[in-house]
Each structure stands twice: as structure tokens, then as C-alpha cells.
Amino acid sequence: MAILLPILRYPDPRLHRIARPVLAVDERIRALADDMLATMYQAQGIGLAATQVDVHERLLVVDVSDEHDQPLVLINPEIIWTSAEKQTHNEGCLSVPGIYDDVERFDAVHVRALDTRGQPQVIEADGLLAMCLQHEMDHLQGKVFVQYLSPLKRNRIKTRMIKQQREARA
């Protein structure tokens, strides 16, 4: 049975750690992927990187389907192709709840990764899936989407998040 994991909240410094490669696709990684999917679905998200649950390994899960029945697990993902075109999407993040802003990303990407059996796969993504994959892969590099915003917006968001965390503890 899957376990719901606590999601780190911005500006937690652990969100900025760079994830190391997964060395073996084993039962521990499969269980972590299951836990991450359960956590993502419970939080009503469409993507979650291991970094966000304080596991600093190159693993992410996404499901952009309307029915939440098409989960993808990507282990050691890497972008191997990007489109010339870019799109601006209004993004949010489970680590920055309640905050949404426009971020420009490649319109289409091809991502090579391992699946939960350790088999290589290539995901050809565009639109929402491409945006989601890039967003989650940023987390594996220690980058949160607010870093694409102006310093003024970033500081306002940081102040708001710290205030929310203080209020939640009180």
C-alpha cells in the first residue's frame, strides 16, 4: 500500500539540492514511485519530482490525463531534443501552493528515461505534458519555477510562503 509523503514547501533550501542519478531500478525505487504517485494524486497535482519529497534522486512522476489514469514514471530523465518553438504556460507547483504565474518553456521535448522495469524509453511530449516534464526536471536540478520570475515577484512569494508556514504552526 502506498504511503503519502510530505511535500517540501518553498523556500525550503532542500528544494535546491541537485538530485543524483538512480543507480539501480529496484523495489525501493518502485515503491518510492508508487508513494509519489499516491502523494501527487492526493494533492491534486499533475507532476511530482523526488526532490519535492526530500529524496534527492533523479525520479519523477507525471499524469496529465483528465481521468488521472495514465501515470508516467521517469527514472534518470534527460531531455534529448527540444522544439525551436516555445510556449508560455501558467504554472503552479505543489511545493508553492496557491501561486501561479507564466513561465516560458519549449513547446515540445523528447525525454529519455528508464521505466520501473529499468527499460529505456523515449517520451515525445508537447503541450501540457512537455511543460510538466520540464517543470519536474527543473526540480531534479534544484530549480523551482518561481526562479523564472522577477526578483520582486520571487521575494513576494517567499514572504507569503514563510507567513503561511508560520500561521500553520501557530
Side-chain angles (χ1 to χ4, degrees):
M1 184 160 163
I3 299 168
L4 295 179
L5 304 168
I7 298 172
L8 298 178
R9 296 273 177 104
Y10 182 78
D12 192 310
R14 293 172 290 180
L15 287 168
H16 301 293
R17 288 185 55 192
I18 296 174
R20 62 189 179 279
V22 171
L23 299 177
V25 179
D26 54 17
E27 196 50 47
R28 180 186 68 85
I29 290 296
R30 285 186 282 276
L32 175 59
D34 288 344
D35 293 346
M36 288 173 58
L37 282 165
T39 301
M40 177 189 75
Y41 289 133
Q42 191 273 338
Q44 300 179 351
I46 60 171
L48 187 66
T51 300
Q52 293 176 272
V53 294
D54 203 19
V55 177
H56 302 282
E57 294 182 76
R58 295 189 56 76
L59 168 66
L60 62 87
V61 298
V62 299
D63 187 345
V64 298
S65 68
D66 290 335
E67 295 79 25
H68 306 295
D69 62 353
Q70 297 175 29
L72 288 173
V73 176
L74 285 78
I75 301 165
N76 295 333
E78 60 179 317
I79 294 175
I80 57 173
W81 176 86
T82 60
S83 63
E85 301 81 27
K86 292 188 174 185
Q87 282 286 340
T88 298
H89 295 271
N90 194 258
E91 292 188 23
C93 181
L94 295 177
S95 291
V96 194
I99 303 295
Y100 300 87
D101 213 315
D102 291 339
V103 176
E104 184 180 67
R105 297 195 184 271
F106 294 107
D107 187 47
V109 295
H110 295 176
V111 176
R112 180 175 41 226
L114 300 176
D115 65 16
T116 55
R117 295 168 294 137
Q119 298 301 307
Q121 60 181 335
V122 174
I123 308 294
E124 297 181 5
D126 61 7
L128 180 61
L129 180 57
M131 179 275 298
C132 186
L133 290 172
Q134 292 170 83
H135 176 108
E136 300 310 328
M137 289 177 72
D138 274 354
H139 279 298
L140 300 178
Q141 294 300 320
K143 190 169 187 175
V144 180
F145 91 98
V146 297
Q147 291 173 261
Y148 288 99
L149 308 178
S150 72
L152 178 62
K153 280 187 179 181
R154 206 169 35 246
N155 284 334
R156 284 183 179 161
I157 291 167
K158 184 177 183 177
T159 300
R160 182 173 167 186
M161 293 291 105
I162 290 170
K163 182 180 177 188
Q164 284 178 3
Q165 290 168 19
R166 260 193 249 120
E167 289 171 352
R169 284 186 287 240

Short mmCIF file of all heavy atoms in Angstrom, two decimals, residues 79-101:
data_model
loop_
_atom_site.label_atom_id
_atom_site.label_comp_id
_atom_site.label_asym_id
_atom_site.label_seq_id
_atom_site.Cartn_x
_atom_site.Cartn_y
_atom_site.Cartn_z
N ILE A 79 16.51 15.39 -21.25
CA ILE A 79 15.94 15.93 -22.48
C ILE A 79 16.95 15.69 -23.59
O ILE A 79 18.11 16.08 -23.48
CB ILE A 79 15.61 17.42 -22.32
CG1 ILE A 79 14.48 17.61 -21.30
CG2 ILE A 79 15.22 18.03 -23.68
CD1 ILE A 79 14.15 19.05 -20.98
N ILE A 80 16.48 15.04 -24.67
CA ILE A 80 17.38 14.74 -25.79
C ILE A 80 17.04 15.55 -27.03
O ILE A 80 17.78 15.53 -28.00
CB ILE A 80 17.40 13.22 -26.11
CG1 ILE A 80 15.99 12.71 -26.43
CG2 ILE A 80 18.03 12.44 -24.96
CD1 ILE A 80 15.95 11.26 -26.92
N TRP A 81 15.90 16.27 -27.01
CA TRP A 81 15.51 17.12 -28.13
C TRP A 81 14.51 18.15 -27.64
O TRP A 81 13.68 17.86 -26.77
CB TRP A 81 14.87 16.27 -29.23
CG TRP A 81 14.35 17.09 -30.39
CD1 TRP A 81 15.05 17.51 -31.48
CD2 TRP A 81 13.01 17.60 -30.56
NE1 TRP A 81 14.24 18.25 -32.31
CE2 TRP A 81 12.98 18.31 -31.77
CE3 TRP A 81 11.85 17.51 -29.79
CZ2 TRP A 81 11.84 18.94 -32.24
CZ3 TRP A 81 10.70 18.15 -30.24
CH2 TRP A 81 10.70 18.84 -31.47
N THR A 82 14.62 19.36 -28.19
CA THR A 82 13.64 20.41 -27.89
C THR A 82 13.20 21.05 -29.20
O THR A 82 13.98 21.15 -30.15
CB THR A 82 14.22 21.51 -26.98
OG1 THR A 82 15.34 22.12 -27.63
CG2 THR A 82 14.65 20.95 -25.64
N SER A 83 11.98 21.50 -29.23
CA SER A 83 11.48 22.24 -30.39
C SER A 83 12.11 23.62 -30.42
O SER A 83 12.59 24.12 -29.39
CB SER A 83 9.96 22.36 -30.31
OG SER A 83 9.59 23.11 -29.17
N ALA A 84 12.07 24.24 -31.57
CA ALA A 84 12.53 25.62 -31.67
C ALA A 84 11.50 26.56 -31.04
O ALA A 84 11.86 27.60 -30.49
CB ALA A 84 12.76 25.99 -33.14
N GLU A 85 10.24 26.16 -31.11
CA GLU A 85 9.16 26.99 -30.60
C GLU A 85 9.05 26.87 -29.09
O GLU A 85 9.32 25.83 -28.52
CB GLU A 85 7.81 26.59 -31.22
CG GLU A 85 7.75 26.66 -32.71
CD GLU A 85 8.36 25.44 -33.38
OE1 GLU A 85 8.38 24.35 -32.77
OE2 GLU A 85 8.84 25.58 -34.51
N LYS A 86 8.61 27.97 -28.50
CA LYS A 86 8.35 27.99 -27.06
C LYS A 86 6.92 28.43 -26.83
O LYS A 86 6.30 29.05 -27.68
CB LYS A 86 9.34 28.92 -26.35
CG LYS A 86 10.76 28.41 -26.38
CD LYS A 86 11.67 29.26 -25.52
CE LYS A 86 13.06 28.63 -25.46
NZ LYS A 86 13.92 29.36 -24.52
N GLN A 87 6.41 28.07 -25.66
CA GLN A 87 5.07 28.45 -25.24
C GLN A 87 5.14 28.99 -23.81
O GLN A 87 5.98 28.55 -23.03
CB GLN A 87 4.14 27.23 -25.23
CG GLN A 87 3.64 26.78 -26.56
CD GLN A 87 2.56 27.69 -27.13
OE1 GLN A 87 1.92 28.45 -26.41
NE2 GLN A 87 2.38 27.62 -28.43
N THR A 88 4.23 29.89 -23.51
CA THR A 88 4.11 30.37 -22.14
C THR A 88 2.90 29.67 -21.52
O THR A 88 1.82 29.66 -22.10
CB THR A 88 3.93 31.89 -22.11
OG1 THR A 88 5.10 32.49 -22.68
CG2 THR A 88 3.76 32.40 -20.69
N HIS A 89 3.13 29.06 -20.37
CA HIS A 89 2.07 28.37 -19.63
C HIS A 89 1.95 29.00 -18.25
O HIS A 89 2.95 29.42 -17.67
CB HIS A 89 2.41 26.89 -19.43
CG HIS A 89 2.48 26.11 -20.70
ND1 HIS A 89 1.39 25.49 -21.25
CD2 HIS A 89 3.52 25.82 -21.52
CE1 HIS A 89 1.75 24.86 -22.35
NE2 HIS A 89 3.03 25.05 -22.54
N ASN A 90 0.74 29.01 -17.73
CA ASN A 90 0.52 29.45 -16.37
C ASN A 90 0.78 28.24 -15.48
O ASN A 90 0.05 27.27 -15.53
CB ASN A 90 -0.90 29.98 -16.21
CG ASN A 90 -1.09 30.73 -14.93
OD1 ASN A 90 -1.65 30.21 -13.97
ND2 ASN A 90 -0.60 31.95 -14.88
N GLU A 91 1.87 28.29 -14.71
CA GLU A 91 2.30 27.14 -13.92
C GLU A 91 2.02 27.34 -12.44
O GLU A 91 2.04 28.45 -11.94
CB GLU A 91 3.81 26.89 -14.09
CG GLU A 91 4.19 26.43 -15.47
CD GLU A 91 5.65 26.00 -15.57
OE1 GLU A 91 6.27 25.65 -14.54
OE2 GLU A 91 6.17 26.02 -16.70
N GLY A 92 1.81 26.21 -11.80
CA GLY A 92 1.72 26.15 -10.35
C GLY A 92 2.64 25.02 -9.90
O GLY A 92 3.26 24.35 -10.72
N CYS A 93 2.73 24.81 -8.60
CA CYS A 93 3.64 23.80 -8.08
C CYS A 93 3.15 23.34 -6.72
O CYS A 93 2.75 24.16 -5.89
CB CYS A 93 5.05 24.39 -7.97
SG CYS A 93 6.30 23.26 -7.36
N LEU A 94 3.22 22.03 -6.49
CA LEU A 94 2.80 21.50 -5.19
C LEU A 94 3.70 22.01 -4.06
O LEU A 94 3.28 22.03 -2.90
CB LEU A 94 2.79 19.97 -5.22
CG LEU A 94 1.77 19.34 -6.16
CD1 LEU A 94 1.91 17.82 -6.16
CD2 LEU A 94 0.36 19.76 -5.79
N SER A 95 4.91 22.44 -4.38
CA SER A 95 5.82 22.99 -3.36
C SER A 95 5.60 24.48 -3.14
O SER A 95 6.19 25.06 -2.23
CB SER A 95 7.28 22.74 -3.75
OG SER A 95 7.57 21.37 -3.66
N VAL A 96 4.77 25.11 -3.98
CA VAL A 96 4.46 26.53 -3.85
C VAL A 96 2.94 26.67 -3.98
O VAL A 96 2.43 27.25 -4.93
CB VAL A 96 5.19 27.37 -4.93
CG1 VAL A 96 5.15 28.86 -4.58
CG2 VAL A 96 6.63 26.93 -5.13
N PRO A 97 2.19 26.11 -3.01
CA PRO A 97 0.73 26.04 -3.15
C PRO A 97 0.08 27.41 -3.25
O PRO A 97 0.47 28.35 -2.56
CB PRO A 97 0.29 25.30 -1.89
CG PRO A 97 1.42 25.42 -0.93
CD PRO A 97 2.67 25.56 -1.75
N GLY A 98 -0.89 27.49 -4.17
CA GLY A 98 -1.67 28.71 -4.32
C GLY A 98 -1.03 29.78 -5.18
O GLY A 98 -1.62 30.83 -5.40
N ILE A 99 0.16 29.52 -5.70
CA ILE A 99 0.86 30.50 -6.52
C ILE A 99 0.91 30.00 -7.95
O ILE A 99 1.30 28.85 -8.21
CB ILE A 99 2.31 30.73 -6.01
CG1 ILE A 99 2.32 31.16 -4.55
CG2 ILE A 99 3.06 31.71 -6.91
CD1 ILE A 99 1.70 32.51 -4.27
N TYR A 100 0.53 30.87 -8.89
CA TYR A 100 0.55 30.54 -10.31
C TYR A 100 1.14 31.73 -11.06
O TYR A 100 0.85 32.88 -10.72
CB TYR A 100 -0.86 30.24 -10.84
CG TYR A 100 -1.50 29.08 -10.12
CD1 TYR A 100 -2.22 29.27 -8.94
CD2 TYR A 100 -1.35 27.78 -10.60
CE1 TYR A 100 -2.78 28.20 -8.27
CE2 TYR A 100 -1.90 26.70 -9.93
CZ TYR A 100 -2.62 26.92 -8.77
OH TYR A 100 -3.16 25.85 -8.10
N ASP A 101 1.97 31.42 -12.07
CA ASP A 101 2.50 32.51 -12.89
C ASP A 101 2.95 31.94 -14.22
O ASP A 101 3.13 30.73 -14.37
CB ASP A 101 3.66 33.22 -12.18
CG ASP A 101 3.69 34.71 -12.52
OD1 ASP A 101 3.55 35.06 -13.71
OD2 ASP A 101 3.86 35.52 -11.60
#
